Amino acid sequence: MRILLLTHAFNSLAQRLQAELHERGHEVSIEFDIADSVAEEAVALFKPQLIVAPYLRRAIPESIWSRHVCLIVHPGIIGDRGPSALDWALQAGEAEWGVTVLQAEAEMDAGPIWASAVFPLRAAKKSSVYRNEVAQAAVTAVLQAVERFAAGDFTPTPLAACSAVRGRLRPLMKQSERTIDWQRDDTATVLRKIHAADGFPGVADSLFGEACHLFDAWPEAALRGASDAKPGDMLARRETALLRRTRDGALWIGHAKRAGGFKLPATLAFAAESAALPEAPLGNWWRADGETWQDIAYEESDGVGFLHFEFYNGAMSTFQCERLRSALSWARQRPVKVLVLMGGADFWSNGIHLNVIEAASLGEGSPADESWNNINAMNDLARELIETDGQITVAALAGNAGAGGCFLARAADLVWAREGVMLNPHYKNMGNLYGSEYWTYLLPRRLGEQGVGERSRALMRNRQPLTALRAAQTGFTDACLAGDIDTFRIDVARHAAEIAAASDLAERLTEKRERRVRDEAEKPLAAYREEELAHLRRNFYGFDPSYHVARHHFVRKSPASWTPRHLARHRDLDWRVPA
Ligand code: COA
């Protein structure tokens, strides 16, 4: 079928649906929901047999839904309606939640139901639940709905005919319903409120007496019940996060957005104020006992070292890259045979930290210089990984990876991704960025090319997201492992322990060392880096400002004004509806 995805943005859910539908033989094109007239034009050009809306912020116009079946993906259980579905469910601590695929009609979210799926609701950040459970349930329900539509004999169930409906119409959740009462709310309540607003819009509050929105909260076990500070007081800082007193303990605030600004690591959003707080260092890289905020954590079992890096949104600033490199270089000295880079639960890495770079424009700094520092710190980290010769290295992607993050993963000997993960191994979306992280060395050899050839160039040019399965099929990764995050971690640990215990390990390590020596003799890593950086110097310091403009819009979340041509296939000059 010809399926049009009408969506507010090409987010990871839309990417996944596009890929899953394409893999099932459907012809999929995408239009951003910018204005009714633009959507109408897309429908006229593509003549879709079905329209699927994975992520909308406005109603579909009657001119479209009255003539075409439009399936809306609603992140709520049957009967739930309104724009803050997940926020209400998380704040209420619902045990089970779901996704409903319903047909667009005049009344928002009230149309007949084509399919639905449920899942146990984790007490976690909204953005995390959205990228994991919601995305998985949405894929299941959309694929079922599409099959039912294609069969032609399915009648969707009107809401009134559904039995035991728990869901109901809920309004947009207002900031007044998210407010934290630092005197009354216990730690669990504060966490729940910040989690329910994570990603967007955050909880309106204040830090150091300045209005801001809070994101990215983590519990701290050590201070439960202790301390004579008042609830709401700032207690300490650690790397990029701030520790704040609650009524019955304390919690960490990882990110904040000041009025008129954008989301930043909390210690950067309030740099001067944070500097005056005492430091609460962890002292080493080992995973700390008990709940706390720890962005880099190391653990070991069965001859395998696991390095976790839980960087918010997968963005890696100069400082974070440098710290991760220190941790990696320390882990290389451990008596382990396999080193697994685990990344974080939601993201493995999305490359350089565009928000921190943008923040340089707020003060005396230069975003070009900060971009340069950041990419060099990424490169140093990638080189540390490429040059790890005493262990087999594995990048285990439980969460998504994009741009430089994909190539950092490829710097490991093996890349294993969890089914459901999306990879975007290309840079051009960010203002035609050339990219670095030694991609010109790492990518061609994966795709069986001598030097950057047509296959590598096509991957960069086409800018298409890859599912974990597709990434393994194309050879970009080495394996796709099924299951949820817990199952994935168990599988990764088992496979890594097998490699560590295998009789051919010494041979494998020798082969790896010899290959690196051969590659270095043929063309040194420094040469690849210098060539990539020559392009990036132009991206950062040249007279074409595309990268700076794209980053500015990305960080400040400027609404899209058109759909990129590589997504809107129906806008290709040679597009014709098949006869
Ligand atoms: N720096 C800073 N923030 C980043 C980031 C980066 N490199 N990559 C993603 N983010 C943030 C987004 O702004 C968004 O922030 P929010 O929590 O305020 O909404 C969040 O991470 C999630 O991003 P989103 O785009 O919603 O995730 P996705 O999984 O749907 O899409 C990508 C993934 C990779 C396609 C998309 O995030 C992207 O294009 N990122 C930029 C990658 C890049 O160009 N890096 C620089 C070159 S190395």
Side-chain angles (χ1 to χ4, degrees):
M1 278 193 297
R2 259 187 329 281
I3 302 179
L4 180 71
L5 289 190
L6 188 60
T7 184
H8 175 74
F10 196 42
N11 67 358
S12 51
L13 173 57
Q15 294 177 13
R16 186 139 170 233
L17 284 175
Q18 180 218 31
E20 301 276 358
L21 291 167
H22 178 75
E23 271 163 30
R24 282 161 184 77
H26 300 294
E27 184 151 12
V28 185
S29 193
I30 292 154
E31 187 70 43
F32 287 177
D33 181 37
I34 291 162
D36 290 356
S37 57
V38 177
E40 284 161 0
E41 190 180 61
V43 171
L45 286 168
F46 192 53
K47 300 203 172 19
Q49 287 147 303
L50 181 65
I51 297 171
V52 176
Y55 166 39
L56 282 187
R57 292 208 181 152
R58 320 171 319 131
I60 294 180
E62 185 176 353
S63 56
I64 296 181
W65 64 252
S66 60
R67 285 185 220 135
H68 300 264
V69 172
C70 302
L71 300 180
I72 309 281
V73 178
H74 176 72
I77 51 175
I78 290 177
D80 180 84
R81 293 169 56 196
S84 303
L86 266 179
D87 312 46
W88 289 114
L90 282 163
Q91 215 174 84
E94 297 277 355
E96 186 184 78
W97 202 240
V99 167
T100 307
V101 175
L102 40 86
Q103 190 167 337
E105 281 191 347
E107 221 181 325
M108 203 76 162
D109 301 338
I113 293 151
W114 281 82
S116 64
V118 292
F119 51 82
L121 186 58
R122 262 185 310 140
K125 290 179 189 150
K126 178 175 69 166
S127 47
S128 176
V129 173
Y130 183 82
R131 287 197 184 92
N132 290 288
E133 288 86 347
V134 169
Q136 187 54 49
V139 169
T140 308
V142 166
L143 292 180
Q144 188 176 39
V146 169
E147 260 177 46
R148 287 174 170 170
F149 178 80
D153 55 359
F154 181 82
T155 310
T157 320
L159 184 56
C162 294
S163 56
V165 172
R166 275 198 306 124
R168 62 193 167 96
L169 173 65
R170 300 265 216 156
L172 177 78
M173 188 184 273
K174 295 195 283 287
Q175 279 296 343
S176 58
E177 281 143 328
R178 304 183 190 269
T179 307
I180 297 169
D181 183 340
W182 291 95
Q183 306 303 320
R184 295 224 182 110
D185 290 346
D186 59 9
T187 308
T189 308
V190 180
L191 268 176
R192 206 162 49 235
K193 287 183 175 175
I194 301 179
H195 280 350
D198 214 301
F200 180 81
V203 172
D205 197 87
S206 63
L207 285 173
F208 306 101
E210 282 273 338
C212 65
H213 285 74
L214 307 181
F215 304 86
D216 185 24
W218 295 80
E220 170 58 60
L223 276 175
R224 226 161 256 162
S227 164
D228 52 7
K230 291 191 298 302
D233 282 357
M234 306 307 293
L235 300 177
R237 71 191 154 96
R238 176 182 299 157
E239 313 301 350
T240 54
L242 298 172
L243 185 62
R244 193 168 190 182
R245 183 85 187 127
T246 56
R247 179 169 70 74
D248 60 341
L251 52 74
W252 293 93
I253 307 288
H255 279 73
K257 175 171 165 295
R258 292 179 79 145
F262 46 87
K263 214 186 275 182
L264 284 174
T267 54
L268 180 59
F270 292 91
E273 299 86 342
S274 307
L277 288 173
E279 269 190 73
L282 281 171
N284 60 49
W285 302 115
W286 288 96
R287 183 180 281 299
D289 290 336
E291 290 171 320
T292 191
W293 180 87
Q294 185 176 18
D295 58 347
I296 301 179
Y298 178 81
E299 52 194 355
E300 248 173 47
S301 70
D302 298 328
V304 181
F306 299 89
L307 191 55
H308 301 263
F309 38 105
E310 189 67 68
F311 297 141
Y312 189 70
N313 283 341
M316 292 168 61
S317 68
T318 308
F319 178 57
Q320 286 162 321
C321 291
E322 288 170 353
R323 289 181 51 244
L324 185 55
R325 186 181 160 215
S326 303
L328 176 59
S329 119
W330 172 85
R332 283 176 62 175
Q333 310 307 319
R334 295 288 311 156
V336 289
K337 300 286 179 254
V338 179
L339 263 181
V340 188
L341 278 80
M342 299 293 292
D346 293 331
F347 292 99
W348 197 85
S349 169
N350 274 332
I352 56 177
H353 202 313
L354 299 166
N355 291 40
V356 168
I357 291 168
E358 186 68 15
S361 64
L362 303 175
E364 309 276 280
S366 137
D369 288 349
E370 189 45 41
S371 304
W372 182 258
N373 295 340
N374 202 161
I375 201 71
N376 274 289
M378 277 293 278
N379 284 352
D380 291 344
L381 174 59
R383 193 185 57 216
E384 183 85 32
L385 191 51
I386 296 170
E387 291 180 341
T388 297
D389 58 2
Q391 286 103 359
I392 298 293
T393 54
V394 182
L397 280 58
N400 298 344
C406 287
F407 296 98
L408 179 65
R410 205 44 282 176
D413 301 320
L414 298 166
V415 183
W416 302 337
R418 185 173 69 84
E419 196 181 7
V421 157
M422 294 303 303
L423 292 98
N424 276 279
H426 47 80
Y427 299 89
K428 283 195 181 305
N429 283 345
M430 201 49 61
N432 229 6
L433 203 63
Y434 185 79
S436 194
E437 291 94 5
Y438 303 95
W439 75 264
T440 53
Y441 166 61
L442 299 166
L443 182 60
R445 61 183 198 154
R446 287 302 300 183
L447 302 182
E449 293 176 331
Q450 295 285 351
V452 176
E454 188 41 37
R455 291 191 72 199
S456 299
R457 267 195 288 272
L459 194 86
M460 288 287 169
R461 189 177 56 229
N462 295 341
R463 291 178 277 165
Q464 289 299 335
L466 300 177
T467 58
L469 191 61
R470 188 85 196 104
Q473 286 163 351
T474 58
F476 186 78
T477 60
D478 299 275
C480 165
L481 305 182
D484 59 16
I485 291 185
D486 292 338
T487 319
F488 175 75
R489 288 187 168 159
I490 293 168
D491 274 0
V492 166
R494 188 166 47 81
H495 289 305
E498 280 165 11
I499 295 176
S503 55
D504 66 349
L505 179 77
E507 214 175 295
R508 215 167 157 172
L509 283 169
T510 308
E511 212 173 279
K512 165 176 167 170
R513 276 191 288 265
E514 287 173 357
R515 178 167 187 192
R516 181 82 280 284
V517 169
R518 268 199 318 275
D519 285 358
E520 188 67 18
E522 206 170 287
K523 180 170 172 178
L525 279 180
Y528 289 100
R529 179 168 176 158
E530 196 36 57
E531 285 167 13
E532 290 168 5
L533 289 178
H535 288 274
L536 282 178
R537 219 174 267 121
R538 280 196 287 278
N539 285 143
F540 298 159
Y541 296 103
F543 53 77
D544 175 359
S546 300
Y547 155 72
H548 296 291
V549 172
R551 188 196 62 241
H552 175 90
H553 289 304
F554 179 83
V555 168
R556 291 170 191 270
K557 312 222 173 289
S558 311
S561 45
W562 51 286
T563 310
R565 288 294 180 267
H566 68 284
L567 302 178
R569 304 193 44 216
H570 51 278
R571 294 188 185 275
D572 281 352
L573 288 178
D574 55 358
W575 162 258
R576 298 276 176 278
V577 178

